[in-house]
Amino acid sequence: MGTDPAVLVTGAGGQVGQALRKELPSARFLPHSELDVMVPSAVHEAAQGVDVIVHLAALTDVDACERDPTTADEVNSLGTRNVAEAAEVTGARVIYVSTNYVFDGTKTEEYAEEDRPAPLNAYGRSKLAGETEVRGRAGHLVVRTSWVFGGGRNFVTTILKAAKRRGDIDVVDDQMGRPTWHRDLAAALAQVAREDMTGVLHVAGDGEPGSWADLARATLNAAGVTARVRNVDTATYLQRGGTRAATRPANGVLSLEKARRAGVRLGDWRASLMEFVEELS
């Protein structure tokens, strides 16, 4: 393989950005404190001399987006427009990380890249608007992923703390998806950054999809925690005091067939979960 392209990573302070440092050691990593994507002049300056921009900067708290959709749109849509416009000027290719929440979850099969988006919540709408900014310009790539866990606060660490503090826990079982380790996603992003892939690509944890309850149960099993996971539906969870400002799709399972055919590295989420939990102990 030849020399790596010159890569800029926005939003590099998050869990995926941190994992990318190992995969793309020569890249330029700019967290929000060093690059505010809402400032067009700053984005244009950062994009100079860059071949690829891995655009991670985003507001990803789904419920926070629901409570403040204006800010979600500003960061996830207009911020992405600034990145795409800067790339258009400099000739860089944008790899934009999006979400399975662009879909409404009514399909009974896995969601393919060409399926029509119809987001249920403000987060999904803002990320879809960001996709539109990128897809409206030639040569860029949208990478949709789902249920990312890894560094920092995430579902896996939250479940472990809750089980150790409270014992048995109720977890939603009527939402399906593909959990994705942040390191597996970072490895795939590094791979596509080195290759000339464009369009839309789904990248998530391989293996049999699961529910949030399945992920919680696998987490506790991996950690050797004896607390039980009680399956509940979303309506029951909310009736018992669960807090969810945003509606989630019942089926958020992304099809990985295109990624498999393209030879993109995909980690099995259950094996990756075991490795992650072992590192926590």
Side-chain angles (χ1 to χ4, degrees):
M1 183 177 294
T3 304
D4 279 353
V7 178
L8 167 68
V9 181
T10 71
Q15 56 180 329
V16 179
Q18 292 296 323
L20 262 176
R21 292 176 184 271
K22 180 180 179 181
E23 300 291 338
L24 293 171
S26 63
R28 185 183 181 197
F29 292 88
L30 295 181
H32 174 72
S33 60
E34 297 180 37
L35 176 62
D36 183 351
V37 295
M38 293 305 299
V39 181
S41 60
V43 177
H44 280 259
E45 181 179 352
Q48 298 299 316
V50 168
D51 300 312
V52 179
I53 301 174
V54 180
H55 181 37
L56 302 178
L59 184 60
T60 59
D61 185 321
V62 178
D63 294 310
C65 288
E66 200 69 20
R67 290 187 291 268
D68 188 0
T70 299
T71 300
D73 285 336
E74 288 175 350
V75 175
N76 295 343
S77 177
L78 298 182
T80 301
R81 178 185 300 174
N82 292 337
V83 171
E85 288 180 346
E88 199 167 37
V89 171
T90 63
R93 182 168 66 101
V94 176
I95 298 174
Y96 172 65
V97 178
S98 189
T99 173
N100 63 326
Y101 282 5
V102 300
F103 297 115
D104 62 11
T106 58
K107 186 179 178 182
T108 55
E109 298 87 15
E110 298 179 349
Y111 278 94
E113 285 82 354
E114 62 271 16
D115 283 327
R116 182 178 179 272
L120 296 175
N121 52 51
Y123 171 64
R125 288 190 291 273
S126 68
K127 292 298 286 183
L128 179 59
E131 287 191 14
T132 301
E133 295 292 345
V134 171
R135 296 179 70 181
R137 295 168 171 85
H140 302 320
L141 176 67
V142 171
V143 174
R144 295 189 186 125
T145 191
S146 60
W147 296 15
V148 179
F149 66 89
R153 181 176 175 271
N154 59 83
F155 179 84
V156 171
T157 55
T158 298
I159 285 296
L160 287 172
K161 290 177 182 177
K164 291 174 181 178
R165 184 175 66 251
R166 303 198 308 262
D168 296 350
I169 52 177
D170 295 339
V171 184
V172 167
D173 70 346
D174 59 353
Q175 297 171 25
M176 298 293 292
R178 290 187 177 277
T180 309
W181 194 21
H182 72 313
R183 289 189 190 170
D184 291 334
L185 176 57
L189 290 173
Q191 181 180 349
V192 298
R194 296 183 178 105
E195 299 175 0
D196 189 24
M197 298 186 65
T198 60
V200 181
L201 183 71
H202 290 172
V203 173
D206 209 345
E208 188 70 20
S211 67
W212 288 114
D214 292 329
L215 176 55
R217 192 169 291 108
T219 296
L220 299 186
N221 289 340
V225 177
T226 57
R228 292 184 304 118
V229 173
R230 294 185 294 254
N231 290 16
V232 297
D233 59 30
T234 300
T236 301
Y237 173 80
L238 294 174
Q239 289 170 1
R240 292 178 179 176
T243 55
R244 283 288 185 269
T247 301
R248 272 76 166 170
N251 174 24
V253 181
L254 298 175
S255 170
L256 303 179
E257 286 306 312
K258 183 176 178 180
R260 294 186 188 114
R261 291 196 303 269
V264 176
R265 291 174 291 174
L266 302 169
D268 182 281
W269 71 263
R270 288 176 175 82
S272 295
L273 176 65
M274 287 287 294
E275 186 173 348
F276 174 56
V277 172
E278 286 175 4
E279 291 181 358
L280 293 175
S281 61

